[in-house]
Amino acid sequence: QAKENGRGGYSFFSPEMNRKLVERRALEADLRLALEKGGLYLVYQPQVDLESGAITGAEALLRWERPGIGNMPPDRFISVAEETGLIGQIGAWTLMQACHEAVSWPEGMSVAVNVSPVQFRQGGLYDAVVAALESSGLAPGCLEIEITEGVLLNDTDETLAILRRLRGLGIRIAMDDFGTGYSSLGYLQKFPFDKVKIDRSFISHLGEDRSAEAIVRAVVGMSHALGVRTIAEGVETQAQAELLRDKGCEAVQGFLFGRPMSAGNLAEQMAAPRA
Ligand code: C2E
Ligand code: MG
Ligand code: MG
Ligand code: MG
């Protein structure tokens, strides 16, 4: 029910809703501070070529050490960053940081950076990519951006033009979490992707569930027909990796090959001879 608030108006918020709102505001304020004063950092998860077994690059994953609270998972703060518009600045910071860290990795290693649909729609992504490449000196061929279907829901000429301009820089574009949400085969044909990342939900059922296997086979076949490479995310077992190789999937990422780690640890692993 409506309650009188301190300023003589009425609030329709229950105590529970009010608590959530206060929490959210605090999170937003802390996130803004983290962006300005430091507190965000990136960890990197190796991506491995299934044929050679070699690490070819890594995905950058955002982390936030929130004062007094501890590690906040991205699933808990990216959405707030999107709602408040902070995602543009956070996304630009992430691109800049990832390029600066990846430039000291061994030759030929690439880095993949996640881009939020809201960040994409805000504009400024192209400029942020150019700034990160120029400032770091990273070769464009070593940078990949990961977008989700959320970006393509806004299926316009402008979306297509932005993706083409980005690709014109020489960077690669990967479609993340493929198979979830509104996956459309049309997207793969229409938009200029270099890579499809098969969503973890299909990989985790590989070997137990025949339909997951059929889906993986279909996605790999279709991607190859369109000239697009495939990488599977969330690979946790040797059996999953073997099935993926049998199906022609080129690359893998997952706990089996390495947890997300610091840039320094990753550089060491990249340089180390394979076991
Ligand atoms: P994503 O891009 O699909 O990233 C993969 C997530 O799966 C990561 O979670 C990773 O730690 C986790 N993962 C990797 N291998 C395995 C595995 O073998 N098993 C299991 N169970 N999980 C695995 P994380 O780091 O918590 O990130 C979650 C999501 O947050 C990401 O999903 C991405 O959508 C978003 N995110 C992370 N960093 C950024 C960023 O810099 N910008 C934006 N816009 N979003 C980000
Ligand atoms: Mg990703
Ligand atoms: Mg993913
Ligand atoms: Mg996923």
Side-chain angles (χ1 to χ4, degrees):
Q1 81 264 19
K3 292 204 190 105
E4 205 169 343
N5 72 22
R7 274 168 282 158
Y10 289 90
S11 161
F12 290 90
F13 294 130
S14 68
E16 167 67 5
M17 283 165 80
N18 203 48
R19 191 183 56 76
K20 284 205 169 129
L21 206 72
V22 168
E23 255 178 40
R24 220 175 166 70
R25 290 234 179 89
L27 193 147
E28 185 193 342
D30 285 356
L31 191 53
R32 214 176 274 280
L33 264 176
L35 191 55
E36 285 163 12
K37 302 249 155 74
L40 298 176
Y41 62 99
L42 296 177
V43 289
Y44 296 89
Q45 186 175 37
Q47 299 184 327
V48 172
D49 180 85
L50 265 178
E51 190 69 45
S52 66
I55 298 178
T56 56
E59 176 178 9
L61 295 160
L62 189 57
R63 296 290 180 264
W64 176 23
E65 190 63 34
R66 190 175 174 195
I69 292 182
N71 214 303
M72 296 280 292
D75 291 331
R76 282 194 51 203
F77 66 86
I78 298 275
S79 59
V80 176
E82 288 177 334
E83 283 163 34
T84 56
L86 266 181
I87 192 68
Q89 275 167 272
I90 289 178
W93 179 86
T94 303
L95 275 162
M96 188 62 80
Q97 179 75 2
C99 289
H100 274 274
E101 290 188 306
V103 80
S104 57
W105 293 349
E107 178 96 41
M109 296 291 159
S110 55
V111 66
V113 176
N114 291 284
V115 170
S116 131
V118 177
Q119 178 191 356
F120 190 93
R121 261 176 259 129
Q122 272 184 9
L125 176 61
Y126 181 86
D127 290 347
V129 167
V130 170
L133 289 172
E134 280 180 355
S135 161
S136 64
L138 187 74
C142 293
L143 177 63
E144 186 167 293
I145 58 169
E146 296 191 0
I147 64 170
T148 53
E149 287 143 356
V151 167
L152 309 177
L153 282 180
N154 189 18
D155 183 354
T156 60
D157 292 345
E158 204 198 334
T159 301
L160 183 58
I162 294 170
L163 292 174
R164 285 202 176 131
R165 274 184 83 207
L166 283 165
R167 208 145 168 266
L169 288 169
I171 72 167
R172 291 191 301 273
I173 302 175
M175 164 142 235
D176 203 357
D177 301 337
F178 189 77
T180 60
Y182 304 88
S183 286
S184 148
L185 302 188
Y187 289 156
L188 278 191
Q189 191 188 28
K190 174 168 183 185
F191 296 102
F193 289 105
D194 299 278
K195 207 186 253 188
V196 161
K197 292 191 85 170
I198 308 170
D199 191 65
R200 171 156 61 91
S201 55
F202 302 110
I203 309 308
S204 58
H205 292 113
L206 271 184
E208 304 157 6
D209 179 345
R210 289 250 151 221
S211 65
E213 229 177 292
I215 288 171
V216 168
R217 188 183 306 115
V219 172
V220 171
M222 181 186 66
S223 301
H224 289 176
L226 294 166
V228 178
R229 293 169 59 82
T230 53
I231 178 168
E233 62 175 27
V235 180
E236 294 182 352
T237 69
Q238 196 65 46
Q240 290 165 352
E242 276 160 24
L243 268 166
L244 286 160
R245 194 175 45 206
D246 289 347
K247 306 251 171 309
C249 182
E250 281 93 357
V252 281
Q253 188 184 332
F255 294 166
L256 179 66
F257 301 93
R259 300 233 167 204
M261 61 188 94
S262 73
N265 282 347
L266 181 76
E268 273 172 36
Q269 286 215 12
M270 283 170 162
R274 269 176 291 131

